[in-house]
Amino acid sequence: LPAGLSQWFPALEVLDVSGTGLTEMGAELLSLPCLHTLLAKNNRLGGPGSLPKGLGQAPLARSLRVLNLSGNRFADVPPMLLRLRGLRSLSLGGNRLHSIPPDIQELCSLEFLYLGGNFITSIPPELAKLPSLKYLVLCDNKIQSIPPQLAQLHSLRSLSLHNNLLTYLPREILNLVHLEELSLRGNPLVVRFVRDLTYNPPSLQELAGRTVKTRNVPYAPSDLPETLVRYLSLASNCPNPKCGGVYFDSCVRQIKFVDFCGKYRLPLMHYLCSPECSSPFSSASQSSTSQSESDSEDEASVAAHRMQKVLLG
């Protein structure tokens, strides 16, 4: 950046230096107290010193609202960017990122996050702690699964996951009550039901715990060691309403397709308490679907009206 920039334009609010071949942005940037939009796309930023030291402490850290560094050479999200607490839009698409730092949760004002076109393999659960996030773009990466915590993004309206390595979605995605657009094309989503993917038989402790919970055996904290009381509190209810069972560590991972918008069927991951829950409950159900499958589709129909667009092709 040219020297004296802050002297020439002390009230500068928008700065666009995209496509100029920049390899670094100097300290002059820190002297622009009114800057709220910085566009530096398609440059050669990403090496040591490409961003000025003190960026996270400068007045810019409070004024900056939009930052676009897409099309550069960043291999990691610069830690100083995570101190820009007033940031509402951050774009780092088309870089060389392999991960999303858990400290991304520090950007509590963020509404738009673009990380498409990188080499990201996983999504940290901390990403779900962005209360204002409305648009999340993670397309064209190498993501294999979506953490169920993402359902905590209650403000999310658009989620772009196309061209990744997803084979299923967590069933918790149904809790994204404001989601209007979900892009999934270009993923190896499973094309048929997969039953009994994994199942480790429950331990004796789990069998005992299941009996206590399902039969409502009364107990008081003084009756059991503290570790067992804590263990019993971790019981998860089987999502099959016809079952009424619980599980602790041992469960059946099962992919179920559910209908969205009356047109698309999305594969969601369910966790059932035993293989019996994934089997037909009666001869009538054997001709079509299992009871748990029907339950899954009924569950999805409740949320179907929320989703305005599901992009699979």
Side-chain angles (χ1 to χ4, degrees):
L1 295 179
L5 183 64
S6 60
Q7 297 176 0
W8 299 335
F9 308 105
L12 190 66
E13 296 182 354
V14 179
L15 176 61
D16 188 350
V17 290
S18 301
T20 56
L22 279 179
T23 58
E24 64 179 60
M25 291 189 286
E28 284 296 321
L29 191 65
L30 306 180
S31 303
L32 297 171
C34 300
L35 192 69
H36 60 69
T37 299
L38 175 59
L39 310 177
K41 302 178 293 180
N42 304 323
N43 284 299
R44 291 181 288 170
L45 301 169
S50 58
L51 297 178
K53 293 181 179 180
L55 180 62
Q57 289 79 32
L60 197 62
R62 295 185 293 273
S63 66
L64 201 60
R65 296 290 181 266
V66 177
L67 177 60
N68 193 326
L69 295 173
S70 291
N72 281 283
R73 302 177 180 181
F74 289 100
D76 300 288
V77 177
M80 63 184 67
L81 297 187
L82 304 177
R83 299 175 186 171
L84 303 176
R85 305 298 169 83
L87 211 57
R88 295 176 184 170
S89 175
L90 174 61
S91 299
L92 281 165
N95 278 276
R96 302 171 181 178
L97 304 178
H98 285 78
S99 63
I100 304 172
D103 286 344
I104 193 76
Q105 63 180 317
E106 301 297 330
L107 299 179
C108 53
S109 299
L110 209 59
E111 298 179 2
F112 177 90
L113 179 60
Y114 190 103
L115 297 173
N118 284 286
F119 303 95
I120 298 169
T121 57
S122 62
I123 303 172
E126 290 81 2
L127 187 63
K129 296 181 180 180
L130 296 175
S132 303
L133 196 64
K134 296 178 181 178
Y135 303 94
L136 177 58
V137 182
L138 295 167
C139 60
D140 300 291
N141 279 288
K142 299 181 181 298
I143 299 169
Q144 300 183 38
S145 63
I146 304 300
Q149 290 87 350
L150 227 59
Q152 299 170 18
L153 291 173
H154 300 303
S155 298
L156 199 64
R157 284 171 168 73
S158 178
L159 177 58
S160 296
L161 295 167
H162 51 273
N163 298 332
N164 276 286
L165 302 176
L166 297 171
T167 55
Y168 68 90
L169 299 176
R171 62 192 297 270
E172 288 83 358
I173 201 169
L174 298 175
N175 296 328
L176 292 174
V177 296
H178 295 297
L179 194 64
E180 299 172 354
E181 180 173 302
L182 174 63
S183 179
L184 292 169
R185 65 183 184 274
N187 281 280
L189 298 172
V190 291
V191 295
R192 57 179 299 174
F193 293 107
V194 180
R195 293 187 170 88
D196 300 343
L197 292 181
T198 59
Y199 181 68
N200 295 319
S203 64
L204 291 177
Q205 176 175 279
E206 174 151 352
L207 288 173
R210 290 187 181 196
T211 301
V212 169
K213 301 297 286 188
T214 56
R215 297 187 179 181
N216 294 317
V217 176
Y219 66 91
S222 58
D223 299 331
L224 299 171
E226 182 180 350
T227 54
L228 290 181
V229 173
R230 188 182 307 114
Y231 179 79
L232 289 171
S233 69
L234 298 177
S236 298
N237 293 321
C238 183
N240 183 354
K242 307 297 183 182
C243 171
V246 300
Y247 64 88
F248 292 85
D249 303 311
S250 177
C251 62
V252 176
R253 295 173 65 245
Q254 186 179 53
I255 291 176
K256 293 294 186 183
F257 281 85
V258 297
D259 289 328
F260 275 104
C261 309
K263 184 176 181 181
Y264 299 107
R265 292 169 65 80
L266 302 183
L268 304 186
M269 183 64 80
H270 285 237
Y271 299 89
L272 305 175
C273 67
S274 68
E276 286 74 17
C277 280
S278 58
S279 300
F281 279 79
S282 65
S283 57
S285 65
Q286 289 180 0
S287 62
S288 56
T289 60
S290 70
Q291 181 66 50
S292 59
E293 180 180 325
S294 299
D295 294 335
S296 299
E297 294 183 352
D298 291 342
E299 177 186 48
S301 66
V302 175
H305 69 280
R306 303 173 186 156
M307 193 77 69
Q308 297 179 4
K309 289 184 179 179
V310 178
L311 307 177
L312 293 177

